Amino acid sequence: GENVEQHPSTLSVQEGDSAVIKCTYSDSASNYFPWYKQELGKRPQLIIDIRSNVGEKKDQRIAVTLNKTAKHFSLHITETQPEDSAVYFCAATGAAGNKLTFGGGTRVLVKP
Amino acid sequence: GAVVSQHPSRVICKSGTSVKIECRSLDFQATTMFWYRQFPKQSLMLMATSNEGSKATYEQGVEKDKFLINHASLTLSTLTVTSAHPEDSSFYICSGGQGSPNEQFFGPGTRLTVL
């Protein structure tokens, strides 16, 4: 089945700096790559997603890039703010098509 | 986006009892529902996938007789943790999908504590 690795597991940045989280996946048939933000005790919230026919997608301060050849995708957050502090998860669909496999998560702390 | 609710949000039970968690899609028909378990400071682990009107497909290592899933309608799926034990204490989250193109909508989660 699909395997998703996520790095780093923790990330501390100064407010205003950029944060980058990287994920790799194993199943070359995967075609959907969402990113979720989860605050303590809350549900995961979709913040951005990308499909395999696109290499990059941007939404205000958040961008995601996808390299299908290398089977990795990354989340970029620019001009970080304290409210960006949370746990971020990447995910990918495997050959099954609608089943998401999650990465291990990255705990992001934005210091004021 | 689409809204998924879960009930209860929090439950504490004694060891050996059974607990039922409901997951409802409020403004869309969820052809597929997913149940996840999340231990503290860990990722979401898929337990099972259920399609309306058919038996759930369980992930490897998940006991189907212990975690009973029913998806009787396009808006309701239930997870029953039978004979719960302290090691079943976790955050259980459901999500609903409408098939392609893959997006899942998550419920708020249920924190189960087994004493």
Side-chain angles (χ1 to χ4, degrees):
Chain A
E2 175 68 279
N3 183 50
V4 178
E5 305 255 346
Q6 184 172 343
H7 298 280
S9 57
T10 59
L11 180 59
S12 182
V13 297
Q14 208 65 40
E15 182 179 0
D17 289 349
S18 295
V20 180
I21 304 171
K22 297 182 179 181
C23 288
T24 60
Y25 61 99
S26 61
D27 189 344
S28 56
S30 290
N31 61 4
Y32 176 64
F33 307 91
W35 284 89
Y36 294 90
K37 176 183 180 182
Q38 187 180 32
E39 296 176 355
L40 190 62
K42 302 281 183 67
R43 78 184 84 195
Q45 297 275 10
L46 178 70
I47 56 172
I48 197 167
D49 57 13
I50 192 167
R51 301 192 184 280
S52 58
N53 58 346
V54 176
E56 185 173 357
K57 184 176 178 181
K58 191 173 180 181
D59 182 4
Q60 299 183 338
R61 296 187 297 109
I62 295 172
V64 57
T65 58
L66 171 66
N67 183 328
K68 281 194 67 180
T69 304
K71 288 190 280 188
H72 66 69
F73 56 114
S74 301
L75 177 72
H76 303 253
I77 306 174
T78 58
E79 299 172 32
T80 53
Q81 300 166 4
E83 51 265 37
D84 294 329
S85 296
V87 180
Y88 292 80
F89 292 99
C90 63
T93 53
N98 65 348
K99 196 168 75 168
L100 288 176
T101 299
F102 283 81
T106 298
R107 187 170 302 275
V108 174
L109 174 64
V110 180
K111 294 182 285 188
Chain B
V3 180
V4 174
S5 71
Q6 252 181 271
H7 179 80
S9 58
R10 191 179 291 266
V11 58
I12 301 172
C13 69
K14 292 183 179 179
S15 188
T17 61
S18 293
V19 175
K20 181 186 280 190
I21 302 169
E22 291 187 351
C23 177
R24 293 182 186 273
S25 57
L26 299 185
D27 54 1
F28 71 102
Q29 293 186 324
T31 52
T32 306
M33 282 188 169
F34 304 88
W35 286 95
Y36 296 86
R37 181 167 52 184
Q38 186 177 32
F39 291 110
K41 296 187 178 181
Q42 293 190 23
S43 187
L44 285 81
M45 298 300 295
L46 180 65
M47 299 174 68
T49 302
S50 73
N51 292 295
E52 184 262 341
S54 60
K55 288 184 179 180
T57 302
Y58 290 81
E59 294 299 301
Q60 194 171 12
V62 178
E63 300 173 59
K64 62 180 180 181
D65 294 330
K66 180 169 182 63
F67 299 99
L68 302 179
I69 291 171
N70 184 279
H71 192 164
S73 78
L74 286 170
T75 59
L76 174 64
S77 177
T78 60
L79 167 67
T80 301
V81 183
T82 61
S83 186
H85 291 285
E87 56 266 31
D88 298 323
S89 299
S90 188
F91 193 50
Y92 291 87
I93 309 175
C94 69
S95 71
Q98 295 175 282
S100 296
N102 313 105
E103 187 172 357
Q104 294 183 23
F105 305 98
F106 285 87
T110 296
R111 182 157 306 282
L112 170 64
T113 303
V114 184
L115 302 176

